[in-house]
């Protein structure tokens, strides 16, 4: 679980963020953790995943660290393809209790 301590690092550098900012950071970190876990489960190094996506290893590292900038849908779609997965965006009226291989963002 490579990214769990990142929140403490962010807080110490920026001070206490607003609740909205904190929620966004936590979502970015949760997505980064999911990307890391999916990559490891696929048996890929960051470099191998980057090659499959047509990008560089530092880009994968940034994604796994929570991005720093909101992840773009096209980047996440290329990531899903490189991992042999599907990217599903949904706007349900109610949030399911359990989501497998997913991050809640709203």
């Amino acid at each position: 679980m490579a990214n769990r301590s990142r929140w403490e690092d962010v807080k110490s550098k920026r001070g206490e963020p607003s609740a909205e900012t904190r929620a966004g950071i936590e979502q970015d970190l949760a997505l980064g953790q999911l990307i890391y876990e999916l990559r490891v489960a696929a048996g890929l190094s960051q470099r191998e995943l980057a090659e499959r996506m047509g990008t560089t290893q530092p880009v994968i590292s940034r994604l796994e660290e929570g991005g720093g900038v909101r992840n773009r849908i096209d980047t996440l779609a290329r990531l899903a393809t490189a991992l042999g997965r599907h990217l599903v965006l949904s706007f349900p009226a109610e949030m399911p209790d359990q989501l497998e291989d997913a991050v809640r963002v709203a």
Side-chain angles (χ1 to χ4, degrees):
M1 309 222 185
N3 297 314
R4 297 290 184 208
S5 66
R6 294 279 301 156
W7 175 242
E8 295 304 320
D9 293 342
V10 169
K11 277 195 335 188
S12 67
K13 290 177 185 172
R14 296 184 184 170
E16 193 63 34
S18 68
E20 183 177 323
T21 299
R22 182 181 177 132
I25 292 168
E26 288 176 346
Q27 290 169 355
D28 287 346
L29 293 176
L31 180 57
Q33 184 67 35
L34 177 60
I35 292 168
Y36 167 79
E37 290 169 359
L38 291 171
R39 176 182 60 77
V40 170
L44 298 172
S45 68
Q46 287 183 344
R47 185 171 312 283
E48 290 168 328
L49 180 56
E51 288 172 3
R52 286 186 179 194
M53 290 178 63
T55 190
T56 63
Q57 178 275 326
V59 169
I60 302 305
S61 179
R62 279 194 303 277
L63 288 171
E64 291 182 0
E65 289 175 356
V69 179
R70 294 282 176 177
N71 294 305
R72 292 176 33 181
I73 292 173
D74 63 325
T75 301
L76 296 175
R78 288 187 305 143
L79 175 72
T81 300
L83 291 169
R85 298 286 189 127
H86 301 278
L87 176 65
V88 178
L89 299 175
S90 178
F91 300 95
E94 295 183 24
M95 181 62 81
D97 289 333
Q98 182 68 27
L99 294 172
E100 185 177 319
D101 294 334
V103 173
R104 295 174 189 237
V105 294

